[in-house]
Amino acid sequence: MYLTRFRINTARADARRLLASPHRVHGAVNASFPEEPPRDGGGPRVLWRVDREANRRATLFVVSPGRPDLTHLVEQAGWPHADGPHWQSYGYAEFLDGLKADDRWAFRLTANPVHAARRKDGEPTKRTAHRTPAHQMGWLLKRQEALGFAVVEKPPERRMLKSGDELELLVRDHSPQSFGRGAAADEKNSVRFTRVTFEGRLRVTDPVALRKALTQGIGKEKAYGCGLLTLAPVVGAA
């Protein structure tokens, strides 16, 4: 397994065009491998996420069973004539194998929080996006045990509200996505979903389940930049 980081040059028109469509990014990520990565089955898969910062920086993260070659992305959306390296790929297996119960990590997850709903009795249920931060957080908290972690509680002195602020968890972004697949811009080839980014701190409860979440993704729309959970050392007091 590999974790790869690629900084996108947002000053380039081709880069901005790429970022405007998760379908284009999906294709560019798949083109990083000699054979198109499998999307089904129970094993590790290719996951990706674009993180955008307030300073207009954008970074592509990719988790994959094989090492990717991002030369085409450097030429399209990077700094092809600058001194390298143009991307960094790190062996991920040692990190995954080192996860232990009760370890604490800062985390970031971009996901597609949905639920099954019906407008009236007798109609079939339809996949529907959660709209509010409270329901979006609830979606993640409902799954945390099965995913092998528990979101950490805030110390009482750091809570800003009497209720609803007990956990180290926030919704950083709520972004409706709508784009077409292929040349035909009709309803059949359109994709619509809501992308949400969670940030917080977690405690590992089941290392095996967490490794699965880190390598197979969480939730729906994994092909379009959702599902990738990443961990980082906790900075500051717990």
Side-chain angles (χ1 to χ4, degrees):
M1 293 297 299
Y2 292 88
L3 171 65
T4 299
R5 181 176 62 190
F6 172 73
R7 185 179 167 194
I8 298 170
N9 183 356
T10 56
R12 302 186 66 173
D14 283 347
R16 295 193 297 271
R17 192 175 301 112
L18 178 74
L19 291 171
S21 171
H23 183 63
R24 291 194 185 101
V25 182
H26 167 65
V29 170
N30 281 356
S32 304
F33 305 93
E35 302 291 335
E36 184 168 330
R39 296 176 56 184
D40 52 10
R45 59 172 293 163
V46 174
L47 302 166
W48 64 268
R49 185 182 78 218
V50 173
D51 286 357
R52 298 176 186 251
E53 306 300 338
N55 58 7
R56 297 181 64 183
R57 287 190 176 187
T59 304
L60 171 67
F61 291 92
V62 180
V63 165
S64 56
R67 186 192 297 270
D69 181 346
L70 304 184
T71 303
H72 60 297
L73 273 173
V74 175
E75 295 168 348
Q76 177 185 5
W79 288 264
H81 303 296
D83 293 336
H86 296 285
W87 71 88
Q88 299 82 36
S89 288
Y90 308 94
Y92 207 30
E94 184 176 355
F95 172 79
L96 295 170
D97 292 342
L99 292 172
K100 297 181 178 62
D102 292 324
D103 284 351
R104 296 196 177 205
W105 298 92
F107 74 87
R108 180 176 289 180
L109 166 68
T110 294
N112 172 225
V114 296
H115 64 114
R118 56 169 54 94
R119 291 180 300 176
K120 58 184 179 180
D121 292 342
E123 284 191 347
T125 59
K126 182 180 179 181
R127 189 187 301 173
T128 305
H130 284 298
R131 304 290 184 185
T132 68
H135 285 103
Q136 291 159 353
M137 290 181 185
W139 174 89
L140 180 60
L141 295 172
K142 182 179 179 181
R143 289 158 175 77
Q144 62 179 342
E145 182 178 357
L147 295 170
F149 66 83
V151 175
V152 174
E153 289 191 6
K154 282 184 181 179
E157 64 271 15
R158 292 185 54 227
R159 299 176 187 176
M160 305 297 291
L161 303 172
K162 290 184 178 180
S163 63
D165 191 33
E166 295 86 2
L167 299 176
E168 295 277 9
L169 178 63
L170 59 85
V171 175
R172 182 173 179 266
D173 187 30
H174 175 108
S175 177
Q177 303 292 306
S178 179
F179 55 92
R181 293 179 295 186
D186 54 21
E187 187 68 23
K188 181 180 178 181
N189 290 288
S190 66
V191 178
R192 294 182 178 87
F193 64 93
T194 297
R195 191 168 61 194
V196 171
T197 297
F198 301 96
E199 290 183 346
R201 296 182 181 181
L202 60 77
R203 176 176 59 84
V204 180
T205 57
D206 183 342
V208 174
L210 183 56
R211 290 185 197 111
K212 181 178 179 181
L214 289 164
T215 57
Q216 297 186 26
I218 298 170
K220 306 293 185 181
E221 305 298 349
K222 297 183 183 75
Y224 297 125
C226 296
L228 176 54
L229 171 69
T230 53
L231 307 180
V234 173
V235 177

